[in-house]
Amino acid sequence: MIGSVRPQVDGGRYAAKATVGRDVVVRADVFVDGHDRVGAMLRWQADGESWRDVPMEPLGNDRWGASFMPERPGLHRFKVTGWVDAFATWHSELVRRLAAGEDLAVELQVGATLVASAAKRASGQDRTRLKEWAARLADAAPDEQAELATAEGLTALMARWPDRARNAATSGGSPIWVDRERAASSAWYELFPRSASPVPGRHGTLHDVAALVPSLAELGFDVLYLPPIHPIGRTARKGPNNAPISSADDVGSPWAIGSEDGGHTVVHPDLGTVDDVELLVEELGTHGMELALDVAFQCSPDHPWVSEHPDWFRHRPDGSIRYAENPPKRYEDVYPLNFETDDWRSLWDALLGVVTFWMGRGVRIFRVDNPHTKPFAFWEWLIDKVRAIDPGVLFLSEAFTRPRVMEHLAKIGFTQSYTYFAWRTDPEALRDYLTELTTAPLVDYLRPSLWPNTPDILTEELQRGGAAAFRARFLLAATLGANYGIYGPAFEHVEHEPREAGSEEYLHSEKYEVRWRDLTSAAGMRELIRRVNATRHAHPALQQDASLTFHRTDNPMILAYSKRDARSGDVVLVVVGMDHRYPQSGWTDLEMPALGLAWESPFTVVDDLDGSTYTWRGPRNFVRLDPTHAPGHLFHIEPPGLAGATA
Amino acid sequence: MIGSVRPQVDGGRYAAKATVGRDVVVRADVFVDGHDRVGAMLRWQADGESWRDVPMEPLGNDRWGASFMPERPGLHRFKVTGWVDAFATWHSELVRRLAAGEDLAVELQVGATLVASAAKRASGQDRTRLKEWAARLADAAPDEQAELATAEGLTALMARWPDRARNAATSGGSPIWVDRERAASSAWYELFPRSASPVPGRHGTLHDVAALVPSLAELGFDVLYLPPIHPIGRTARKGPNNAPISSADDVGSPWAIGSEDGGHTVVHPDLGTVDDVELLVEELGTHGMELALDVAFQCSPDHPWVSEHPDWFRHRPDGSIRYAENPPKRYEDVYPLNFETDDWRSLWDALLGVVTFWMGRGVRIFRVDNPHTKPFAFWEWLIDKVRAIDPGVLFLSEAFTRPRVMEHLAKIGFTQSYTYFAWRTDPEALRDYLTELTTAPLVDYLRPSLWPNTPDILTEELQRGGAAAFRARFLLAATLGANYGIYGPAFEHVEHEPREAGSEEYLHSEKYEVRWRDLTSAAGMRELIRRVNATRHAHPALQQDASLTFHRTDNPMILAYSKRDARSGDVVLVVVGMDHRYPQSGWTDLEMPALGLAWESPFTVVDDLDGSTYTWRGPRNFVRLDPTHAPGHLFHIEPPGLAGATA
């Protein structure tokens, strides 16, 4: 029997996620009735290629494990095969009979038959050697029995030619979607290109954005994400602070997409041209970065599709098109698309065309706006189509909605997912939430992206906590999450004033206005960002989430956690102060094995935030965190032998 | 979308278990993309009957629930159907629009369309009334809008005629095997009939067993289980204490089945006849009890099948039949059957014939000896065949083997399963193990049977702990497990001497000898048994396992737990001393809601073991347990209002 196969999503109905060049760790229960020994094999394939076999190892209690490393992005499958291993069964009994002093003559003849049939399966030299062994077992003299029963050469030889015929069972093929490396680890920076001008009063352009790239690369970001860059509608355009009425100077919301200048495949004339997007992609590429564009499938009333395809929208009984609303909130500048229109094939094709248009300009990452308000079936279809063209295209799901819906979007294909991280401010709630995100079943298919802020989310904690809160949330996001991002300009400048009390909207939100900022004033935050991102790039431990382990401390306002890269043994240990006002001190209670250390081992921790070094020993170590000085410690661990060299 | 359906075993591949007359509680995630409201229906059927519908209720976070109560044993199925509820969506938005002071004229027209289509689905009076509502909504005067928007009559009417067409999804049909009541709750008593004679020196008979029935019924047992009652082989018969050589007087092991007198469908001549089995079944029936026979599918060398069907056994290269062994242990008096013989169809049919033979004599419960040493496929086939004849036949799996194998036997159909209970003596280990047994996934398909002892298992704790240990283990087994059993005569007489140090075998085990006991010496233990079984019968809380809740205490040697029957609210709270030598005292920390009580509520606990009554208040209450006096408290709880009446 084969059961409890991992990784598997809903019994293999959806693909689990994996990454090129990283181990896919497979586990399964493999067992039979009775006392027979079993053997087990992991079989895997890249789509359309042949199956490859990896022998599985017993882990105890009928659990077996093996791993494989996919070499390219795309769909893969694996199965687990188990069978009764007659030779191993016979051999383990033989060894016990020998110990009990039994005569083995008859049993060695049983073994001879097993070896003779293995010889028939074998080829080359092995075949000849197995035939010789069969003959020796059949004709063993009494004084040879002990030697033959324990001969290791035979066991190794037989293991190469297993008889998989008896009681064989195979699990159903489990799909695994393999992404390129950036899917698993990325630091995102979001900015509004119209605010990118170095000259106050001038509308920013994509050229201005390109000029910022070297500094973003120097900060260590991997992805630059731009809100929609398309023409913005005039009809019902919103004014500053989401005012229902706008003046001729107001720029409107970039999410009110489409004007007489065009729709989703056109660049806003004030920002530049489609060619400028290609140039930006190129500039980012020379700095090891990528561009992420916003996919917001909705239209302003002035979008060309409104007149060309009125049937792509919902109408009210009075004939008017339904604007977006979530009563009593109204978004008169936005018409949702009707994905269930009779003409849905043309609509869906047009939307796919938007994505492939930008793919043609070199864009391979898309941040999808509110995917949960569109049909699951649409996204499953679209992502499949896109991946057939380029399996390296990544989609970030911006679904701040109910957990089951967020999870389902990840199941049907979204590469990364926004999370509730921003609102998990209580230390215990944060620990519980991150534990849920980084353990089964979620860890098998949902890659969390942690954002301390977005243009829609200025949390109460950031409003009240000052720069110390910003620093702590940054350290948490960038080290708890292999994938994270910030709405950068507002974050670096510690912008914390809400539109009104009780609101999470920014005052003078960039969603409705162009903003200019003095970049030099962000120096302090930038230095922290630079150091943390440098540590992320230097330490594979921070480039994955599955190993996240929380450690106890005796002060609830001190959060300690570590990550460990299984292959290299690299470890990062983070200690964060959750009080943004007063210093906190306390003692750690480290789970030493999670750090790859013996329980009472001495070790050296080096803080990458300020270069300080401490010599610790065993689980209990004193820490003191002053939020006015630093958000916490970002330690890498040096093994005991290197302690002297570092000090 | 529908997901995480419970109860479901391996995604519906195996049947979950349920009981006639008890609620099957179904849960599922039901959700759609977007903000639409959904509706959900539980659909269930007894095999071959039509589907019945139960509306599901939202439990929060997209989880929905409903339950159904099967009325007869046999295979049942259920599904969960979800759909977008356009009316509920429209209505919830309408209420918010009303609160925001919007004009509702256009929206009421949208509603009119929805109501008009419901009228088409409806019949009778409802149809007329829905038509009237549609007309009123379509022509609503401005001053009627508010009244129409909040009319509860319309909501109730629409709920009766849901439109299940939009975005409907249905889970796969999940199988549920429904057993009769005894499968869910039973107290077993095992005895060797050959030791049942009231006259020392005389071989006991089935008539002697029948004479014991009234006293067993008085003790409150539900099932009398007899080890094999068939003729015993002579060849290689074991002597006392499993000696390899026996004398002519030795009776041999009842598990060495078959002699020249016959095999599995014959009664040992010294015990009586097949007719006596029928009489015993009858006598038990008049006392509300049942007979369980042992199914041990193996043969002594003298079994008629050995000569009639030599190909049903395994042979060694020297032509001899393989006896049972687990090297270096040998069971020369037993030949295992070869279930994989070429003639397996005849063999399997013959074994099915054994079960149906005894079913024909009125036996409906079978305790299956070592099922894990026979093929899973055989048991799945046999149990299916038997259930087709009588879905009320129950099978207890005696598989003390690896967890995955024990679980799989339960999945493929065994009604109840022996467990590791006997060896879980550490309080924390016992709590963890029982928690695992009584929560998902196990609770959905494996019914644990807790045995403090068996003829094969005299644990070290019982060997050393004296009568106090026997009392404590009895109280634990009978209250932690809705199903439990004892190897009764040895248990009542506190027999605790092992064959040798380090062994779990009884000295002078009844497996190889006839034993006579002075029944009057068991009075003390019998009184405890009688009281506990009486409480089990009086309190539905003890007749199920799923509600088992452990409560903290401040003394690790005091174990506290409760069970609660959801339908009646009946609660039993048990406090057991885990130190069998010295008194232990401490404070409880009761999880009051699990008892159906408010956190600081006063309540009265009545100890059914000695009739004492205590008035308690809130979670913290003092207990003192003296093992020389009683194993613990077996409390039922009386609500605050009754406190005075009881004292």
Side-chain angles (χ1 to χ4, degrees):
Chain A
M1 306 309 304
I2 294 172
S4 301
V5 177
R6 267 201 64 196
Q8 207 178 53
V9 184
D10 289 3
R13 211 167 129 203
Y14 304 102
K17 290 187 168 71
T19 311
V20 168
R22 298 188 179 194
D23 284 326
V24 179
V25 177
V26 173
R27 298 277 182 269
D29 294 336
V30 182
F31 58 97
V32 287
D33 37 63
H35 300 295
D36 285 340
R37 299 292 184 103
V38 302
M41 192 73 84
L42 163 64
R43 319 200 63 203
W44 70 281
Q45 65 165 189
D47 199 29
E49 297 183 4
S50 55
W51 290 94
R52 292 188 246 187
D53 288 354
V54 186
M56 298 184 80
E57 303 290 333
L59 307 172
N61 237 341
D62 293 324
R63 196 93 179 129
W64 291 69
S67 60
F68 67 96
M69 190 186 282
E71 294 147 7
R72 59 175 184 77
L75 185 64
H76 289 61
R77 279 183 207 85
F78 76 86
K79 307 178 193 179
V80 171
T81 296
W83 63 90
V84 167
D85 187 336
F87 180 80
T89 305
W90 169 82
H91 192 257
S92 76
E93 288 184 2
L94 192 76
V95 169
R96 283 184 285 158
R97 289 178 201 278
L98 178 68
E102 293 183 25
D103 179 80
L104 304 181
V106 173
E107 295 307 326
L108 287 173
Q109 277 177 39
V110 173
T113 316
L114 294 170
V115 175
S117 32
K120 284 182 198 154
R121 291 189 297 275
S123 57
Q125 278 258 304
D126 281 2
R127 180 167 204 155
T128 317
R129 291 171 61 204
L130 285 165
K131 278 187 185 166
E132 289 165 7
W133 274 106
R136 285 182 64 191
L137 291 172
D139 304 325
D143 61 348
E144 283 183 320
Q145 289 185 353
E147 187 197 331
L148 287 172
T150 54
E152 293 203 356
L154 175 59
T155 308
L157 195 57
M158 286 295 289
R160 284 211 291 278
W161 301 100
D163 177 8
R164 297 203 216 157
R166 219 184 116 214
N167 267 339
T170 298
S171 67
S174 298
I176 303 260
W177 178 263
V178 177
D179 283 304
R180 60 193 174 99
E181 178 66 25
R182 187 140 284 160
S185 176
S186 57
W188 292 47
Y189 190 96
E190 174 177 4
L191 63 78
F192 285 77
R194 66 189 179 191
S195 298
S197 167
V199 184
R202 207 193 72 198
H203 191 285
T205 66
L206 295 179
H207 282 289
D208 295 331
V209 174
L212 296 174
V213 168
S215 71
L216 294 175
E218 203 270 329
L219 288 178
F221 286 101
D222 308 305
V223 177
L224 170 64
Y225 154 52
L226 305 181
I229 55 173
H230 315 298
I232 294 170
R234 255 280 147 218
T235 304
R237 178 179 283 190
K238 302 285 184 174
N241 293 311
N242 201 26
I245 294 168
S246 63
S247 71
D249 291 342
D250 289 327
V251 288
S253 162
W255 282 274
I257 295 171
S259 76
E260 57 192 7
D261 294 319
H264 286 75
T265 53
V266 172
V267 172
H268 193 297
D270 291 346
L271 289 176
T273 65
V274 169
D275 287 343
D276 294 338
V277 174
E278 289 198 62
L279 288 172
L280 179 57
V281 167
E282 217 167 282
E283 174 67 8
L284 286 161
T286 63
H287 290 85
M289 292 182 65
E290 284 189 65
L291 181 64
L293 285 191
D294 197 292
V295 166
F297 283 151
Q298 58 197 25
C299 299
S300 95
D302 308 323
H303 194 292
W305 287 348
V306 174
S307 50
E308 291 166 16
H309 299 283
D311 54 327
W312 288 1
F313 302 88
R314 284 188 203 278
H315 297 258
R316 307 208 303 170
D318 64 0
S320 63
I321 293 182
R322 273 201 186 275
Y323 49 77
E325 56 181 336
N326 186 9
K329 287 193 200 165
R330 301 173 184 205
Y331 309 90
E332 295 93 338
D333 57 342
V334 170
Y335 286 168
L337 290 156
N338 178 9
F339 286 80
E340 294 164 14
T341 171
D342 291 341
D343 193 28
W344 63 273
R345 285 174 193 279
S346 314
L347 169 62
W348 290 25
D349 281 337
L351 298 173
L352 173 61
V354 170
V355 177
T356 56
F357 177 87
W358 293 110
M359 285 165 64
R361 298 320 186 261
V363 181
R364 300 182 79 203
I365 308 184
F366 297 92
R367 177 271 197 191
V368 179
D369 192 71
N370 283 328
H372 58 291
T373 60
K374 290 93 188 171
F376 292 135
F378 167 73
W379 294 119
E380 198 165 5
W381 172 86
L382 180 115
I383 292 171
D384 270 0
K385 289 279 182 195
V386 166
R387 284 175 169 173
I389 302 168
D390 178 0
V393 173
L394 314 181
F395 294 90
L396 167 62
S397 159
E398 190 244 11
F400 292 108
T401 180
R402 293 123 57 212
R404 296 301 91 73
V405 173
M406 293 167 69
E407 291 159 14
H408 197 73
L409 290 164
K411 285 180 186 174
I412 61 176
F414 279 90
T415 320
Q416 300 181 358
S417 307
Y418 281 74
T419 63
Y420 302 139
F421 166 76
W423 299 288
R424 294 295 179 271
T425 53
D426 172 73
E428 200 175 319
L430 184 64
R431 190 193 61 209
D432 290 351
Y433 184 53
L434 264 294
T435 300
E436 184 191 348
L437 289 174
T438 56
T439 51
L442 287 188
V443 72
D444 288 339
Y445 67 88
L446 185 145
R447 291 200 191 88
S449 184
L450 310 187
W451 291 64
N453 76 330
T454 77
D456 297 314
I457 303 169
L458 173 65
T459 62
E460 201 187 343
E461 185 182 36
L462 295 182
Q463 293 175 29
R464 292 165 180 245
F470 279 68
R471 287 193 293 262
R473 294 307 289 186
F474 180 81
L475 180 59
L476 289 167
T479 57
L480 285 170
N483 293 297
Y484 85 101
I486 54 171
Y487 161 37
F491 196 87
E492 292 175 39
H493 289 84
V494 193
E495 291 178 7
H496 62 276
E497 280 195 70
R499 197 176 63 198
E500 70 265 346
S503 169
E504 292 197 333
E505 293 286 340
Y506 283 88
L507 182 65
H508 295 297
S509 167
E510 282 188 276
K511 292 192 287 186
Y512 314 102
E513 299 176 48
V514 176
R515 294 281 302 278
W516 293 271
R517 296 180 180 88
D518 176 8
L519 282 182
T520 57
S521 77
M525 197 63 71
R526 288 205 148 197
E527 182 56 19
L528 174 68
I529 292 170
R530 199 186 58 72
R531 286 177 183 244
V532 173
N533 279 340
T535 299
R536 283 172 51 93
H537 282 120
H539 289 278
L542 289 178
Q543 293 160 22
Q544 48 79 44
D545 293 326
S547 73
L548 178 66
T549 303
F550 286 92
H551 301 265
R552 280 177 302 195
T553 69
D554 64 357
N555 179 340
M557 295 311 279
I558 296 179
L559 200 63
Y561 51 91
S562 65
K563 288 181 168 182
R564 181 162 190 266
D565 177 62
R567 206 161 254 271
S568 64
D570 177 53
V571 178
V572 169
L573 170 66
V574 189
V575 185
V576 186
M578 303 297 284
D579 184 334
H580 310 315
R581 199 173 283 234
Y582 302 108
Q584 295 282 345
S585 59
W587 292 82
T588 63
D589 182 9
L590 301 175
E591 183 71 20
M592 299 294 283
L595 306 177
L597 296 170
W599 276 106
E600 290 307 325
S601 169
F603 58 105
T604 302
V605 291
V606 182
D607 187 343
D608 285 345
L609 296 187
D610 63 7
S612 60
T613 297
Y614 305 88
T615 302
W616 282 5
R617 177 183 290 271
R620 272 180 68 78
N621 301 284
F622 183 77
V623 285
R624 184 176 186 281
L625 302 172
D626 181 348
T628 61
H629 166 69
H633 295 299
L634 176 56
F635 290 132
H636 67 266
I637 292 187
E638 303 203 339
L642 293 175
T646 320
Chain B
M1 306 308 307
I2 294 172
S4 300
V5 177
R6 267 201 64 196
Q8 206 178 52
V9 184
D10 289 2
R13 211 167 129 204
Y14 304 103
K17 289 187 168 71
T19 311
V20 168
R22 298 189 178 194
D23 284 324
V24 179
V25 177
V26 173
R27 298 278 183 268
D29 295 335
V30 183
F31 58 96
V32 287
D33 38 64
H35 300 295
D36 285 339
R37 298 291 184 106
V38 301
M41 193 71 85
L42 163 65
R43 319 201 64 204
W44 69 281
Q45 63 166 191
D47 199 29
E49 294 183 3
S50 55
W51 290 94
R52 294 187 243 186
D53 288 354
V54 186
M56 298 184 80
E57 301 291 332
L59 307 172
N61 236 342
D62 292 324
R63 197 91 179 132
W64 292 69
S67 60
F68 68 96
M69 192 185 283
E71 294 148 7
R72 59 174 184 81
L75 186 64
H76 289 60
R77 281 184 206 85
F78 76 86
K79 308 178 192 179
V80 171
T81 296
W83 62 89
V84 166
D85 187 336
F87 180 80
T89 305
W90 168 82
H91 192 257
S92 76
E93 287 183 3
L94 191 77
V95 170
R96 283 184 284 156
R97 288 178 201 281
L98 178 69
E102 294 183 24
D103 179 80
L104 305 182
V106 173
E107 296 305 327
L108 287 174
Q109 276 176 41
V110 173
T113 316
L114 294 170
V115 175
S117 32
K120 285 182 197 153
R121 291 189 295 275
S123 57
Q125 278 257 305
D126 282 1
R127 179 168 206 153
T128 318
R129 292 171 60 204
L130 283 164
K131 277 187 187 165
E132 289 165 9
W133 273 106
R136 285 182 64 191
L137 291 171
D139 305 324
D143 61 350
E144 282 182 319
Q145 289 184 354
E147 187 197 333
L148 286 172
T150 54
E152 294 202 357
L154 176 57
T155 307
L157 196 55
M158 286 296 287
R160 284 212 291 279
W161 301 100
D163 177 8
R164 298 203 213 157
R166 218 184 117 212
N167 266 340
T170 298
S171 68
S174 299
I176 303 261
W177 179 264
V178 177
D179 283 304
R180 60 194 175 95
E181 178 66 24
R182 188 138 286 161
S185 176
S186 57
W188 291 48
Y189 190 95
E190 174 178 6
L191 62 79
F192 285 77
R194 65 189 180 191
S195 297
S197 166
V199 183
R202 207 194 74 199
H203 192 286
T205 66
L206 294 178
H207 281 288
D208 295 331
V209 174
L212 296 174
V213 168
S215 70
L216 295 175
E218 203 271 329
L219 289 177
F221 287 100
D222 307 304
V223 178
L224 170 63
Y225 152 53
L226 305 182
I229 55 174
H230 315 299
I232 295 171
R234 255 278 149 219
T235 304
R237 179 179 284 187
K238 303 284 185 176
N241 293 311
N242 200 26
I245 294 169
S246 62
S247 71
D249 292 341
D250 289 328
V251 289
S253 162
W255 282 274
I257 297 172
S259 76
E260 57 193 5
D261 293 320
H264 286 76
T265 53
V266 172
V267 173
H268 192 297
D270 291 346
L271 289 176
T273 65
V274 169
D275 287 343
D276 293 339
V277 174
E278 289 197 62
L279 287 172
L280 179 57
V281 167
E282 218 166 278
E283 173 67 9
L284 286 161
T286 63
H287 290 84
M289 292 180 66
E290 284 189 66
L291 180 65
L293 286 190
D294 198 294
V295 166
F297 283 152
Q298 58 197 25
C299 298
S300 95
D302 308 323
H303 195 291
W305 287 348
V306 174
S307 50
E308 290 167 14
H309 299 283
D311 54 325
W312 287 2
F313 302 87
R314 284 187 203 279
H315 297 259
R316 308 207 304 170
D318 63 3
S320 62
I321 293 182
R322 272 200 187 276
Y323 49 77
E325 56 182 335
N326 187 8
K329 287 192 201 167
R330 300 173 184 204
Y331 308 90
E332 294 93 338
D333 57 341
V334 170
Y335 287 168
L337 290 156
N338 178 10
F339 287 80
E340 294 164 15
T341 172
D342 290 340
D343 192 29
W344 64 271
R345 284 176 195 278
S346 314
L347 171 61
W348 291 23
D349 280 338
L351 297 173
L352 172 60
V354 169
V355 176
T356 56
F357 176 87
W358 293 111
M359 286 164 63
R361 298 317 186 265
V363 181
R364 299 181 80 203
I365 308 184
F366 297 91
R367 177 270 198 193
V368 179
D369 191 71
N370 283 325
H372 59 291
T373 60
K374 288 95 189 171
F376 291 136
F378 167 72
W379 294 119
E380 198 166 4
W381 172 85
L382 180 114
I383 293 171
D384 270 0
K385 290 280 181 193
V386 167
R387 284 174 170 172
I389 301 167
D390 178 358
V393 173
L394 314 181
F395 294 90
L396 167 61
S397 160
E398 188 244 11
F400 291 108
T401 181
R402 293 122 57 212
R404 296 302 89 74
V405 173
M406 293 166 70
E407 291 159 15
H408 198 72
L409 289 164
K411 285 180 186 175
I412 62 176
F414 279 90
T415 319
Q416 300 181 357
S417 308
Y418 282 74
T419 63
Y420 303 139
F421 166 76
W423 300 287
R424 294 293 180 271
T425 53
D426 171 75
E428 198 175 321
L430 184 63
R431 192 193 58 211
D432 289 351
Y433 183 52
L434 264 295
T435 301
E436 184 191 346
L437 289 174
T438 56
T439 51
L442 287 188
V443 74
D444 288 339
Y445 67 87
L446 185 145
R447 291 199 192 90
S449 183
L450 310 187
W451 291 64
N453 75 330
T454 77
D456 297 315
I457 304 170
L458 172 65
T459 62
E460 200 188 341
E461 185 181 37
L462 294 183
Q463 293 175 30
R464 292 166 181 245
F470 279 69
R471 287 194 292 264
R473 295 306 290 186
F474 180 81
L475 181 59
L476 289 167
T479 57
L480 285 170
N483 293 297
Y484 85 101
I486 54 172
Y487 161 37
F491 197 88
E492 292 174 40
H493 289 83
V494 193
E495 292 177 8
H496 63 277
E497 281 194 70
R499 195 176 63 199
E500 69 265 349
S503 169
E504 293 196 332
E505 293 287 339
Y506 283 87
L507 181 65
H508 294 298
S509 168
E510 281 187 277
K511 289 192 288 187
Y512 314 104
E513 300 175 49
V514 176
R515 293 280 302 277
W516 293 272
R517 296 180 181 86
D518 175 9
L519 283 180
T520 56
S521 78
M525 196 65 70
R526 289 204 149 196
E527 183 56 20
L528 174 68
I529 292 170
R530 197 188 58 72
R531 287 178 183 243
V532 173
N533 279 341
T535 299
R536 283 172 50 93
H537 283 120
H539 289 279
L542 288 179
Q543 293 160 22
Q544 47 81 44
D545 293 325
S547 73
L548 178 66
T549 303
F550 286 92
H551 301 264
R552 280 178 301 195
T553 69
D554 65 356
N555 179 340
M557 295 311 280
I558 297 177
L559 200 64
Y561 52 90
S562 65
K563 289 181 168 184
R564 181 164 190 266
D565 177 61
R567 206 161 254 273
S568 64
D570 177 51
V571 178
V572 170
L573 170 66
V574 189
V575 186
V576 186
M578 302 297 282
D579 184 335
H580 311 315
R581 200 174 283 233
Y582 302 108
Q584 295 281 347
S585 60
W587 292 83
T588 63
D589 182 9
L590 301 176
E591 183 72 20
M592 299 292 284
L595 306 176
L597 295 169
W599 277 106
E600 291 306 326
S601 169
F603 58 107
T604 301
V605 291
V606 182
D607 188 343
D608 284 345
L609 297 187
D610 62 7
S612 60
T613 296
Y614 305 88
T615 302
W616 282 5
R617 178 182 289 273
R620 273 178 69 78
N621 301 284
F622 183 77
V623 285
R624 183 176 186 281
L625 302 171
D626 181 348
T628 62
H629 167 67
H633 294 299
L634 175 56
F635 290 132
H636 68 263
I637 292 185
E638 302 204 339
L642 293 176
T646 317

